[in-house]
Amino acid sequence: MSQPQEHGGHAARHAPPPVQDVSHDDGHDHAHGAHARAGAAAPPEHRAHAGDGTAVPGAVVYTCPMHPEVRADRPGACPICGMALEPLRPTAAPADDAELRSMTRRLWSSALFALPLLILTMSPMVGIALPLVGRARAFAELAIAAPVLTWGAWPFYLRFVASLRRRSLNMWTLIGLGVIVAFTFSVVAAIAPGIFPDAFRDDHGEVGLYFESAAVIVTLVLLGQVLELRARGRTGAALQQLLGLAATRARRVEEDGREIDIELAEVQVGDRLRIRPGDKVPVDGVVEDGASAVDESMLTGEPMPVTKAVGDRVVGATINGSGTLVMRAEAVGAETMLARIVELVARAQRSRAPIQRLADRVAGWFVPAVVACAIATFAVWAAVGPDPRLAHALINAIAVLIIACPCALGLATPISVMVAVGRGASLGVLFRDAQAVERLEQVDTLFVDKTGTLTEGKPTLSEVIAADDDDDALLRLAAAVERGSEHPLAQAIVAGAEARELDLPAATDFAATTGKGVAAAVEGQRVALGNLAHMHDLGADVAALRDRADALRGEGATVMYVAVDGRAAGLVAVADPIKASTSDALQALHDAGIRVVMVTGDSQRTADAVARRLGIDDVVAEVLPAAKVAAIEDAQRHGRVVAMAGDGINDAPALAQADVGIAMGTGTDVAMESAGVTLVRGDLRAIARAVRLSRATMRNIKQNLFFAFVYNAAGIPLAAGVLYPVTGWLLSPMIAALAMSFSSVSVIGNALRLRRAQV
């Protein structure tokens, strides 16, 4: 009965993605030297690299949200998709916005030139006569468009060239090709219009110029980039808020009693720190003096303050209430709970969900397919289109190139995962990776351990019944036997005796019988505690106590008989109180359509009693860890998608077997690496939140994918002119550019709705 529990654990770790260093030839504004941060060197897989390939310890590392394997030591463009890179690990310092500032400058400058160019080219259509005609007009358009189509579009050209050089065709391949074709054609038409055949000339014999289309396309793409960069900056807001929670200073209590304020970086393990009312707890540790209520909502998502007294653990970044505490630091720097949460969340945000495989497969052939569509469009219009055939062919081919947007498709999944993981962290729900987010949405059965999950995990003495009515004397003997045991039930009996201020005698000749109980010599008597089988082995008749024992077990208590010198002397009962939040949490899980199964090593009668009180669907009792695994395997064989919630340590085999393992963390003991989902505070209500967040995230991803697929499926044929024979409609490349620019922004905007989702 009082055998120490065996604990095991596993830390599932993922190998880092292969590092792909980026050569910085994207032409963006860089703020060198502003990105270095003090602190320990980053792990090898996250180190930035200097130009000679050497690691730069402590530097900020940049990555692509669509391709997390990319690493760079400064801002720039992704070599695979051309998207602007962003910090791999956000810091509390303001984010580097060099890319946004560069694009904003180019946007306003381009708009300043594109607007008069548009007025100049459109004025004849509304009956406004301008003095510029013929070649003079063409050269005026060239002069106005040149700043837009050179300096304004310069980053696009660099990304276009990089995509060709690296043979990684992407959105910038299409945009660059479309703008270059329109610009080059217009320059040649302005300088040497005589070289063009009649198929390019209109009814007045003039060759069309597309300076305004190219300039407006560039301006609209720049607008889309600015909006996208601003929106992407908000996707990491939750993580940025977490980083901003950390205290900046601490008040250290010196050995001579003096108190001095120090920087947080100066705090060492073992330091005694005073936390005054309203102060943030600087680091993780244990309270040595004082009592107060601490607000832990920023880490756990629970609004109620938690009472802290001597011996209780406190977590850095939480806020002290009205009392004063003195704590001893036990974890500082990267070892604190906050730092570990930030690391876990940042890593999860960069992981890839299985659903993304569809988008990846499509992206592999998307750009070549669009280029083929543009070529086919040109060929068809050149062959059977109305006059001027080649002019129509060119403009529609450009529209096809411009409207296609592989970025909307590629962003659909990672941007939603990034927002969801950050939102989960603010609620005390930590996803290890994107796969856990996706898999949790499919869960229909939840296995929960009883002790520490449904209950407080702190057994207390609930009843003492002596055959001779001297309860204190019986408890005194029982506690003397159990005092040497580390088992939680034994400790509960000893604590109960100490609470009654009983003087415990010494016990000798201790013996334990596996699965039955313990015995020892106390004050010349042989005292034994254990189950019914143990009493039978001793020849003790407990018939008079069995009804009372059954009643206590029916209330959820664990009962141990006590025998003295082979005679039944009474019984002691230990109960593990059910958490106040458990009933509401189980109701929320049932409302979500999830079947709840309790698995426990407790007796069947005790487990059934707890299940009846809580309305649990099924019970698997009197099982060892291996049997818990077997129960989960059986459910999976019957087609169930199973989540297992346990303490992340002794439930490690079951957590590993489940489709989704959920570690119930408690303070700094949270087992962040043992399961797909970790609850910072061991509260079942957080599981219901996690399930709702997972389902909202998957709905959001599917909406994004639907929008991206439908947008391209409808936009490309429209740009090719499939409706022209019926309606006479043609899609201007400028309208195509506007639609393309807002496609990625709309995907990001939809993902940002997860920050406000009701979970």
Side-chain angles (χ1 to χ4, degrees):
M1 163 227 135
S2 295
Q3 299 304 308
Q5 293 178 331
E6 293 183 351
H7 297 286
H10 77 290
R13 301 186 183 275
H14 296 286
V19 176
Q20 180 168 352
D21 293 326
V22 179
S23 59
H24 301 286
D25 54 359
D26 52 14
H28 296 308
D29 300 331
H30 300 305
H32 298 291
H35 313 304
R37 299 288 183 263
E45 66 270 23
H46 299 315
R47 287 181 182 167
H49 292 267
D52 59 0
T54 57
V56 182
V60 174
V61 182
Y62 292 83
T63 189
C64 172
M66 285 171 53
H67 301 93
E69 68 273 18
V70 171
R71 299 288 186 270
D73 61 349
R74 59 192 179 202
C78 172
I80 300 174
C81 66
M83 180 172 290
L85 302 179
E86 56 190 39
L88 179 70
R89 297 287 185 272
T91 66
D96 187 300
D97 62 350
E99 176 78 7
L100 176 59
R101 286 186 282 109
S102 173
M103 289 295 180
T104 302
R105 284 196 300 270
R106 295 177 194 275
L107 168 63
W108 288 112
S109 299
S110 297
L112 188 64
F113 286 97
L115 183 60
L117 180 62
L118 199 59
I119 294 173
L120 175 63
T121 55
M122 297 298 176
S123 57
M125 300 180 186
V126 293
I128 300 176
L130 295 177
L132 293 172
V133 294
R135 298 289 295 278
R137 182 190 183 91
F139 281 112
E141 291 184 23
L142 172 58
I144 298 173
V148 181
L149 299 176
T150 52
W151 181 78
W154 189 247
F156 305 166
Y157 299 149
L158 291 175
R159 295 180 185 186
F160 166 70
V161 172
S163 72
L164 297 180
R165 189 175 68 247
R166 292 191 172 102
R167 298 179 183 177
S168 179
L169 306 184
N170 54 50
M171 177 180 91
W172 302 107
T173 312
L174 303 176
I175 293 173
L177 186 60
V179 172
I180 288 172
V181 168
F183 185 31
T184 304
F185 176 88
S186 299
V187 169
V188 175
I191 297 174
I195 67 173
F196 289 92
D198 292 341
F200 279 105
R201 301 179 184 277
D202 59 19
D203 295 338
H204 302 288
E206 295 184 357
V207 179
L209 301 178
Y210 304 107
F211 288 119
E212 85 286 355
S213 293
V216 172
I217 286 170
V218 169
T219 304
L220 291 174
V221 173
L222 285 168
L223 175 62
Q225 284 294 289
V226 169
L227 294 176
E228 179 183 320
L229 288 168
R230 287 180 177 174
R232 279 169 55 190
R234 295 197 295 273
T235 61
L239 199 53
Q240 196 74 22
Q241 290 170 1
L242 278 177
L243 286 163
L245 294 175
T248 56
R249 300 181 66 82
R251 190 171 185 82
R252 185 166 64 198
V253 180
E254 303 292 328
E255 292 184 3
D256 59 5
R258 291 183 301 111
E259 297 183 6
I260 58 173
D261 288 334
I262 60 174
E263 295 293 330
L264 189 65
E266 298 177 41
V267 177
Q268 302 292 323
V269 173
D271 283 352
R272 298 181 75 242
L273 307 172
R274 183 176 296 280
I275 310 167
R276 294 167 293 188
D279 283 353
K280 289 182 178 180
V281 177
V283 294
D284 299 357
V286 176
V287 176
E288 289 195 340
D289 186 34
S292 183
V294 176
D295 180 1
E296 297 183 337
S297 60
M298 64 288 300
L299 295 181
T300 66
E302 299 299 329
M304 292 299 294
V306 181
T307 301
K308 301 290 183 180
V310 175
D312 290 336
R313 307 188 73 83
V314 287
V315 181
T318 55
I319 302 174
N320 186 29
S322 58
T324 297
L325 301 173
V326 176
M327 64 169 287
R328 183 171 297 277
E330 291 192 340
V332 301
E335 300 302 317
T336 63
M337 168 70 75
L338 179 62
R340 292 161 66 197
I341 288 175
V342 169
E343 170 67 19
L344 184 72
V345 171
R347 184 171 53 187
Q349 287 182 333
R350 302 301 177 197
S351 61
R352 299 172 77 82
I355 196 174
Q356 194 168 344
R357 287 195 293 264
L358 174 62
D360 290 343
R361 285 197 297 268
V362 172
W365 55 261
F366 185 88
V367 174
V370 172
V371 173
C373 287
I375 294 173
T377 299
F378 184 91
V380 171
W381 279 89
V384 299
D387 290 329
R389 294 193 305 277
L390 292 182
H392 280 103
L394 179 67
I395 202 69
N396 285 296
I398 291 173
V400 169
L401 292 172
I402 295 299
I403 199 169
C405 187
C407 274
L409 190 61
L411 277 173
T413 297
I415 208 72
S416 295
V417 169
M418 185 178 296
V419 176
V421 170
R423 175 71 191 282
S426 68
L427 298 173
V429 177
L430 307 179
F431 292 100
R432 190 178 64 193
D433 51 33
Q435 182 173 343
V437 178
E438 179 175 340
R439 196 60 172 154
L440 187 60
E441 184 254 353
Q442 303 164 0
V443 165
D444 55 24
T445 303
L446 174 67
F447 279 67
V448 293
D449 183 46
K450 180 176 76 69
T451 304
T453 304
L454 299 175
T455 65
E456 296 287 353
K458 298 177 180 178
T460 58
L461 182 69
S462 60
E463 196 83 36
V464 179
I465 300 174
D468 60 3
D469 295 328
D470 191 348
D471 295 347
D472 284 352
L474 179 68
L475 178 58
R476 181 173 173 272
L477 294 174
V481 176
E482 295 282 24
R483 183 162 55 178
S485 173
E486 295 180 355
H487 194 283
L489 298 181
Q491 293 177 348
I493 293 172
V494 174
E498 291 174 347
R500 299 189 187 190
E501 299 182 350
L502 301 179
D503 181 25
L504 303 185
T508 59
D509 193 20
F510 181 87
T513 304
T514 303
K516 294 183 178 181
V518 296
V522 182
E523 295 181 335
Q525 305 175 91
R526 191 65 181 174
V527 180
L529 285 83
N531 56 23
L532 188 60
H534 196 38
M535 295 298 107
H536 285 167
D537 290 347
L538 298 172
D541 183 7
V542 296
L545 299 169
R546 290 187 66 172
D547 288 345
R548 183 57 177 151
D550 288 344
L552 289 170
R553 291 193 188 98
E555 296 171 2
T558 299
V559 177
M560 289 150 284
Y561 293 103
V562 182
V564 179
D565 292 333
R567 297 190 306 274
L571 57 82
V572 292
V574 173
D576 187 4
I578 294 172
K579 293 179 180 178
S581 60
T582 296
S583 294
D584 290 342
L586 291 174
Q587 183 59 53
L589 290 167
H590 283 136
D591 290 345
I594 294 177
R595 176 172 172 263
V596 180
V597 180
M598 183 175 72
V599 287
T600 178
D602 274 355
S603 69
Q604 188 72 50
R605 190 178 184 89
T606 300
D608 287 341
V610 173
R612 282 195 302 272
R613 288 175 58 186
L614 296 174
I616 290 175
D617 301 295
D618 199 1
V619 175
V620 180
E622 300 178 5
V623 293
L624 297 175
K628 293 181 182 181
V629 172
I632 292 174
E633 289 176 334
D634 182 66
Q636 291 171 328
R637 280 194 298 270
H638 286 83
R640 295 281 185 174
V641 180
V642 177
M644 168 69 192
D647 63 9
I649 301 172
N650 60 354
D651 289 315
L655 289 170
Q657 177 60 39
D659 297 285
V660 180
I662 302 174
M664 306 291 286
T666 52
T668 54
D669 292 330
V670 60
M672 291 187 187
E673 294 289 352
S674 65
V677 180
T678 297
L679 308 183
V680 177
R681 191 173 181 184
D683 189 332
L684 274 179
R685 287 177 297 186
I687 296 181
R689 289 195 198 104
V691 170
R692 289 194 293 266
L693 179 58
S694 172
R695 292 178 177 178
T697 302
M698 296 311 298
R699 282 197 304 270
N700 192 272
I701 289 173
K702 290 169 184 175
Q703 290 164 359
N704 285 346
L705 287 172
F706 174 80
F707 173 80
F709 277 120
V710 169
Y711 164 80
N712 284 295
I716 292 174
L718 284 176
V722 295
L723 294 181
Y724 181 81
V726 178
T727 64
W729 294 348
L730 287 176
L731 188 66
S732 165
M734 292 184 287
I735 302 301
L738 181 64
M740 185 280 299
S741 295
F742 281 95
S743 60
S744 294
V745 176
S746 62
V747 166
I748 297 173
N750 187 49
L752 287 172
R753 293 192 305 113
L754 289 170
R755 296 196 305 172
R756 301 182 299 274
Q758 294 299 316
V759 296

